[in-house]
Amino acid sequence: MNLREILYKPELTKEEIVYLLSLTDEEDINKLYERADEVRKEYCGDEVHLRGLIDFSNYCEQNCLYCGLRLDNKNLSRYRMTPDEIIETAKHIINSGIFTIVLQSGEDSYYDTDVIAYIIYSIKQIADVAITLCLGERGFNEYQTWKIAGADRYLLKHETANPKLYSIYHLHQQLNERLAHIRYLKKIGYQVGSGNIIGLPMQTIEDIADDILLCKELDLDMAAFGPFIPSPYTPYRNKKAASVDLTLKTMAVARIVLKAVHIPATTALATIDENGRIKGLKAGANVVMPDFTPSPYREKYEIYANRRCVGDDPRSCRSCLQLQIESIGRKISTSRGDSLKMKIDS
Ligand code: SF4
């Protein structure tokens, strides 16, 4: 195959995606990153959108094999933030000049429909910020209520497009159910994010190509590709972490295939590589999600071990990120960073 020709094709086949993900020559890989950066510039510009993250509960009713928050992990000290603590933290985020708030937790039905709606509504009274929910699979009627309360976006990863692997990793959950939730969220007007985990046990390069193609089929507004990092006290604790190269290649190919979509440089990538964030931003990413969860909670949101920046003061996060982002000639956005598709449609 001719690398240059593939990099400039408007549409890629699965075979071409597999070819790009399998590149090993350093010069070729750099050409892939450069092309992804070009596409990012064309569709997203030079602005980097910050999304302020509040991990408000580490309780989870699911048992995903790779995740430290899984129900059966009895070694994790659990916490729940009160609605007032969550709203107070949202104020800090808004005061730091960040216009998207991500409310994230394990699947925790302790927070019922009304409590979540109250939190959303209260934050929306403070300022015109976007609210992203990342609460796992909840009821379709709940999604509707939260939309009416003011939620703008929902993040629900598909994790893997391979139905067999999905049912192995998730025990009680099925891929088709997850996809039905994603499609429903889109139908009722959420800006929807999804994505995979790279390097999970048994996953192949073909599976990753299918993940990217599934993101295209779902016509997502945001797509996240984070590396697998083994977590203690989980069945996958002794498995190998994903490689930085494969993660970056996946992000770059996703940018070329998906074009007008938000792609984050994930904290997990920054955890497996000190310069992961910058590398991600140079390989197609245009979003960073700093963690504003206050202590003593943030240390306990242990999806995996040794999360990057976990010991840092969230208040210094923005200035640290600003330095990193400006050092590569990019700038922090001052907008909400809504779906790039909305711009194209209007
Ligand atoms: S991946 Fe999500 S649903 Fe699964 S155990 Fe972790 S927090 Fe719960």
Side-chain angles (χ1 to χ4, degrees):
M1 292 200 201
N2 180 315
L3 176 60
R4 202 184 145 73
E5 220 169 80
I6 293 173
L7 289 177
Y8 284 85
K9 278 181 70 176
E11 304 273 336
L12 296 188
T13 64
K14 180 172 172 183
E15 290 65 37
E16 288 162 343
I17 292 175
V18 168
Y19 167 77
L20 293 178
L21 292 172
S22 310
L23 292 174
T24 51
D25 181 82
E26 206 175 317
E27 217 173 290
D28 288 346
I29 294 173
N30 284 336
K31 280 185 195 150
L32 168 67
Y33 296 160
E34 275 162 29
R35 177 61 187 146
D37 202 41
E38 232 172 65
V39 177
R40 185 271 308 155
K41 197 173 171 69
E42 183 182 342
Y43 286 87
C44 320
D46 281 336
E47 290 192 334
V48 175
H49 299 286
L50 300 187
R51 321 290 200 201
L53 194 56
I54 309 174
D55 296 325
F56 64 87
S57 161
N58 69 353
Y59 279 83
C60 188
E61 289 147 22
Q62 298 296 340
N63 245 325
C64 308
L65 296 191
Y66 48 80
C67 178
L69 304 195
R70 64 198 306 271
L71 180 68
D72 285 352
N73 182 2
K74 307 294 180 213
N75 291 289
L76 183 66
S77 145
R78 305 277 174 172
Y79 71 87
R80 288 187 174 113
M81 288 171 66
T82 64
D84 282 351
E85 285 178 310
I86 298 169
I87 295 162
E88 209 39 51
T89 309
K91 276 187 200 158
H92 287 310
I93 296 175
I94 295 165
N95 291 338
S96 320
I98 293 177
F99 308 104
T100 291
I101 288 160
V102 183
L103 300 175
Q104 177 164 266
S105 68
E107 280 194 25
D108 185 6
S109 55
Y110 172 88
Y111 297 86
D112 65 16
T113 320
D114 291 346
V115 173
I116 297 289
Y118 166 76
I119 296 166
I120 295 166
Y121 182 79
S122 305
I123 296 173
K124 288 296 239 193
Q125 299 313 299
I126 305 169
D128 176 27
V129 287
I131 295 189
T132 303
L133 301 176
C134 183
L135 314 178
E137 284 181 25
R138 300 283 300 240
F140 283 21
N141 55 342
E142 298 193 286
Y143 299 143
Q144 271 181 350
T145 305
W146 299 334
K147 185 85 188 46
I148 293 164
D152 302 272
R153 309 177 190 147
Y154 207 102
L155 195 51
L156 188 62
K157 280 192 160 195
H158 70 267
E159 317 287 13
T160 172
N162 179 328
K164 266 196 200 141
L165 290 184
Y166 191 95
S167 57
I168 293 173
Y169 302 145
H170 299 98
L171 303 174
H172 305 299
Q173 294 177 301
Q174 300 298 329
L175 178 62
N176 57 3
E177 280 170 27
R178 173 69 47 128
L179 297 180
H181 282 252
I182 293 172
R183 292 194 173 106
Y184 182 76
L185 287 160
K186 207 167 158 57
K187 191 171 132 200
I188 62 170
Y190 279 92
Q191 298 171 43
V192 177
S194 192
N196 79 344
I197 301 177
I198 298 154
L200 280 166
M202 296 169 280
Q203 181 192 56
T204 64
I205 294 289
E206 284 74 14
D207 290 327
I208 298 176
D210 284 334
D211 288 331
I212 295 172
L213 287 169
L214 178 60
C215 290
K216 185 173 161 67
E217 186 200 317
L218 292 168
D219 192 21
L220 299 173
D221 304 292
M222 174 177 152
F225 305 91
F228 164 70
I229 303 175
S231 181
Y233 312 112
T234 65
Y236 287 166
R237 62 188 172 279
N238 295 323
K239 303 290 181 191
K240 245 178 75 190
S243 87
V244 176
D245 279 357
L246 183 58
T247 307
L248 290 169
K249 280 191 281 185
T250 305
M251 290 165 64
V253 177
R255 170 60 70 201
I256 292 167
V257 172
L258 305 175
K259 300 184 171 64
V261 69
H262 291 300
I263 297 181
T266 63
T267 306
L269 176 58
T271 300
I272 57 170
D273 183 318
E274 214 184 330
N275 298 316
R277 249 189 214 126
I278 294 298
K279 288 182 183 173
L281 288 171
K282 287 171 145 183
N286 70 320
V287 168
V288 175
M289 299 171 76
D291 184 3
F292 278 79
T293 313
S295 275
Y297 306 126
R298 61 191 340 229
E299 299 77 15
K300 297 178 183 168
Y301 202 82
E302 271 213 303
I303 294 180
Y304 51 82
N306 306 318
R307 239 175 353 133
R308 179 112 179 119
C309 297
V310 101
D312 297 353
D313 181 347
R315 286 168 302 188
S316 58
C317 214
R318 196 185 191 282
S319 42
C320 166
L321 285 174
Q322 187 162 348
L323 278 177
Q324 291 184 41
I325 289 164
E326 289 179 356
S327 75
I328 54 165
R330 309 267 285 276
K331 57 176 187 249
I332 292 181
S333 169
T334 52
S335 78
R336 292 179 8 151
D338 281 306
S339 171
L340 297 155
K341 296 195 164 127
M342 287 163 74
K343 273 193 209 158
I344 287 174
D345 293 344
S346 58

